[in-house]
């Protein structure tokens, strides 16, 4: 049994007229009739009762109708799946992201992919710090990493997806809370709430560098496990906290004030992926990401 035979059978079964079925298939009627007779010979049964006035399905024809539709539907789906995979519409893309400031962007990306590329499955993995996300990328354990890195490996491509800057979180009662901008030297002697100084942790590193350049050593009053805890400690007037403008935009605590810091250090959020990964699904997700960045999604 061939696919063309099934197509011919379905056309005649649905039209119940050989002439109309032939027009629908863009073939002449005699070849269509021969195809149906050949199929009946191969199956050893008549599929149609036909005379000069009408065509009707036999019991065998009715029995074949459903399976024939299923076969052609399965074929069509297989063709669509193959084309979609080539277009980047099907596949698994793993994403590792670090830091609370990445959450809104990753959420927007996931919604965009789910809406416009539903054949792509995203596996999202939150990391405490950017360096583990980069290690997972280099080792092939993830496909896209979001983070802030000072060094990008040679076999990794990266692009800024969210420009960012440093700000100082201060208690609303702090003497510097009303400043338009601050320089690092103005924070000498202030108690700081810091994140843990893990390998690759950007903010503790920036605090150390800024203090050193301004000629002082930061006084760490307390180390907080995460940004939310650090800001809660600022609100409780334990100390000030060096953080990101992107974080400040999502904080509504009236007891915490964010003041921009004059600092040249790069803290932009980047997306990174392996240069040799040419899978269409990955390229499809990157396309959605860059459209978000351009403001078109």
């Amino acid at each position: 049994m061939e696919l063309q035979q099934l197509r011919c059978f379905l056309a005649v079964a649905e039209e119940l007229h050989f002439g109309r079925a032939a027009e629908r298939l863009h073939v002449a009627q005699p070849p269509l009739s021969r195809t149906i007779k050949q199929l009946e010979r191969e199956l050893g049964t008549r599929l149609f009762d036909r005379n000069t006035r009408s065509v009707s399905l036999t019991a065998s024809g009715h029995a074949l109708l459903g399976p024939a539709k299923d076969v052609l539907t399965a074929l069509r789906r297989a063709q669509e799946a193959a084309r979609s995979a080539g277009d980047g519409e099907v596949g698994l893309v793993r994403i590792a992201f670090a830091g609370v400031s990445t959450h809104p962007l990753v959420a927007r990306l996931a919604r965009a992919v789910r809406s416009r590329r539903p054949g792509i499955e995203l596996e999202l993995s939150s990391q405490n710090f950017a360096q583990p996300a980069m290690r997972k990328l280099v080792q092939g354990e993830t496909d896209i990493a979001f983070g802030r890195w000072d060094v990008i490996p040679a076999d990794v491509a990266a692009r800024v997806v969210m420009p960012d800057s440093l700000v100082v979180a201060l208690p609303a009662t702090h003497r510097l809370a009303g400043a338009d901008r601050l320089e690092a030297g103005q924070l000498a002697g202030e108690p700081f709430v810091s994140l843990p100084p893990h390998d690759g942790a950007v903010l503790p590193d920036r605090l150390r560098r800024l203090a050193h350049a301004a000629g002082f050593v930061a006084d760490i009053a307390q180390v907080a496990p995460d940004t939310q805890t650090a800001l809660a400690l600022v609100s409780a007037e334990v100390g000030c906290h060096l953080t990101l403008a992107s974080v400040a935009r999502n904080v509504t605590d009236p007891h915490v004030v964010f003041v921009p810091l004059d600092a040249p250090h790069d803290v932009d959020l980047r997306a990174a992926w392996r240069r040799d990964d040419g899978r269409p699904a990955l390229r499809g997700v990157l396309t959605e990401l860059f459209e978000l960045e351009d403001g078109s999604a």
Side-chain angles (χ1 to χ4, degrees):
M1 188 183 302
E2 298 177 357
L3 291 172
Q4 184 58 24
Q5 291 175 322
L6 291 180
R7 292 190 181 97
C8 291
F9 165 74
L10 283 176
V12 177
E14 291 169 358
E15 298 290 344
L16 292 178
H17 191 283
F18 275 80
R20 290 195 297 270
E23 290 179 5
R24 173 172 152 182
L25 295 170
H26 304 291
V27 298
Q29 185 171 332
L32 174 61
S33 297
R34 288 195 296 271
T35 298
I36 295 298
K37 288 178 181 178
Q38 181 182 1
L39 178 59
E40 289 176 326
R41 283 196 300 271
E42 291 178 2
L43 294 175
T45 185
R46 286 186 303 109
L47 299 173
F48 297 98
D49 284 327
R50 44 198 181 273
N51 55 44
T52 56
R53 291 190 301 273
S54 66
V55 175
S56 61
L57 283 164
T58 65
S60 297
H62 278 292
L64 180 60
L65 192 58
K69 289 180 178 178
D70 290 343
V71 169
L72 294 180
T73 298
L75 174 64
R76 184 166 56 252
R77 287 176 177 169
Q79 292 169 332
E80 290 172 353
R83 283 194 295 267
S84 295
D87 293 338
E89 299 297 331
V90 175
L92 172 67
V93 176
R94 301 163 299 173
I95 297 177
F97 54 98
V100 66
S101 63
T102 65
H103 295 179
L105 177 63
V106 172
R108 289 175 62 209
L109 175 60
R111 290 194 296 268
V113 171
R114 187 176 301 112
S115 172
R116 290 194 287 271
R117 301 175 189 264
I120 296 179
E121 178 186 355
L122 296 183
E123 181 181 285
L124 306 178
S125 173
S126 178
Q127 311 291 307
N128 288 332
F129 299 98
Q131 206 58 39
M134 178 59 75
R135 280 197 294 268
K136 291 184 68 172
L137 179 66
V138 171
Q139 294 168 3
E141 297 173 6
T142 196
D143 304 309
I144 300 173
F146 288 99
R148 296 168 173 82
W149 303 281
D150 291 324
V151 178
I152 303 293
D155 55 350
V156 170
R159 172 168 165 171
V160 173
V161 292
M162 187 172 68
D164 217 334
S165 58
L166 292 171
V167 297
V168 180
L170 299 167
T173 56
H174 195 280
R175 61 183 177 84
L176 298 174
D180 293 328
R181 296 190 70 82
L182 290 173
E183 295 183 359
Q186 293 176 266
L187 300 170
E190 294 290 337
F192 275 88
V193 177
S194 175
L195 296 177
H198 289 284
D199 177 36
V202 170
L203 291 174
D205 174 75
R206 296 299 187 267
L207 177 58
R208 179 186 59 79
R209 290 195 205 179
L210 287 168
H212 178 75
F216 70 94
V217 175
D219 175 15
I220 307 301
Q222 192 164 335
V223 175
D226 52 51
T227 297
Q228 292 93 332
T229 304
L231 294 176
L233 292 171
V234 172
S235 181
E237 302 184 357
V238 173
C240 53
H241 175 61
L242 183 67
T243 188
L244 302 164
S246 57
V247 170
R249 287 193 289 268
N250 297 299
V251 176
T252 57
D253 187 340
H255 301 292
V256 179
V257 173
F258 297 92
V259 181
L261 186 65
D262 280 328
H265 297 289
D266 177 20
V267 289
D268 294 337
L269 179 67
R270 285 175 167 79
W273 61 96
R274 292 183 301 281
R275 293 184 185 276
D276 61 356
D277 191 343
R279 291 176 301 127
L282 172 67
R283 299 297 162 179
V285 174
L286 290 174
T287 296
E288 295 298 331
L289 173 63
F290 299 153
E291 288 184 0
L292 290 179
E293 178 198 354
D294 294 338
S296 56

